[in-house]
Amino acid sequence: MNAASPPAAGALTLDAEALYAELKRAVQALLAAGPQPTHLVGVASGGAWLAERLQRELGLPGQAGVVASTLHRDDYAQRGLSASAAQTRLPFEVDGAHILLVDDVLYTGRTLRAVLNELFDHGRPASVRLAVLVDRGGRELPVAADAAAVRLPLPPQQSFELTRGEDGRFGFVLLEHGRPVEAAR
């Protein structure tokens, strides 16, 4: 796939829309092969954007859910609760539900651990699967995506931030030490 090329000399090119198209195909396949009904739930905030668009474009009934990891993060004491923190919204009964979590970037697995804890605060799902836009490796917990549009390892000091334009199109900002690459150099 030409949507991503490995970092070379500090440069990284990612076509977020091409990756989204690949994710959409993977989610269609997971939904077709999985139990019915399956509810899409996006991890706040990038995953929620993806789930919302997938729900609409795949013509799925209802609304995609949103799950926030804020209150279950293992670094909550250091980070606290920001004023802009997303809230969990699950427009279906979680007990016995089949859930397909959608996230933008999978890294250590710690956010997913927190998300699963949040889901279980709302009930006991029958199954939970995971689809991500980018799997960047670096796992610290035994978490794996059922589908990833691309697997692209990054050095620990670099990360991605998914962006969404006013037209709904996705893009990426490459961060180094938490700052956009242009500002980090």
Side-chain angles (χ1 to χ4, degrees):
M1 153 180 271
N2 293 332
S5 51
L12 177 68
T13 304
L14 280 176
D15 181 340
E17 282 297 316
L19 291 177
Y20 171 77
E22 184 63 32
L23 178 68
K24 183 177 171 183
R25 283 189 288 279
V27 165
Q28 282 178 304
L30 286 172
L31 291 174
Q36 299 300 322
T38 294
H39 301 277
L40 292 185
V41 175
V43 177
S45 63
W49 298 340
L50 293 165
E52 175 185 289
R53 187 165 157 191
L54 286 164
Q55 185 89 15
R56 183 179 66 251
E57 290 183 4
L58 295 175
L60 301 174
Q63 292 183 321
V66 176
V67 65
S69 64
T70 308
L71 297 177
H72 291 283
R73 292 187 59 92
D74 56 12
D75 58 357
Y76 180 78
Q78 292 85 22
R79 294 176 67 163
L81 183 62
S82 74
S84 64
Q87 293 187 336
T88 296
R89 180 185 47 80
L90 299 167
F92 57 87
E93 181 65 38
V94 173
D95 278 326
H98 299 283
I99 295 173
L100 178 56
L101 282 175
V102 180
D103 204 1
D104 52 356
V105 179
L106 176 58
Y107 182 30
T108 64
R110 293 182 180 283
T111 296
L112 256 322
R113 183 215 43 89
V115 161
L116 290 171
N117 285 349
E118 177 71 11
L119 269 179
F120 275 81
D121 280 354
H122 292 269
R124 186 170 190 260
S127 67
V128 179
R129 292 177 293 160
L130 175 64
V132 299
L133 199 58
V134 178
D135 181 345
R136 61 164 291 185
R139 218 73 74 239
E140 296 175 3
L141 297 175
V143 174
D146 295 281
V150 68
R151 297 182 196 285
L152 183 66
L154 280 182
Q157 72 275 12
Q158 290 185 337
S159 62
F160 297 110
E161 185 175 288
L162 185 67
T163 62
R164 180 174 64 170
E166 288 183 21
D167 61 357
R169 294 180 57 81
F170 296 120
F172 280 110
V173 174
L174 179 63
L175 304 173
E176 193 162 312
H177 300 291
R179 298 187 322 243
V181 168
E182 301 79 43
R185 298 207 185 280

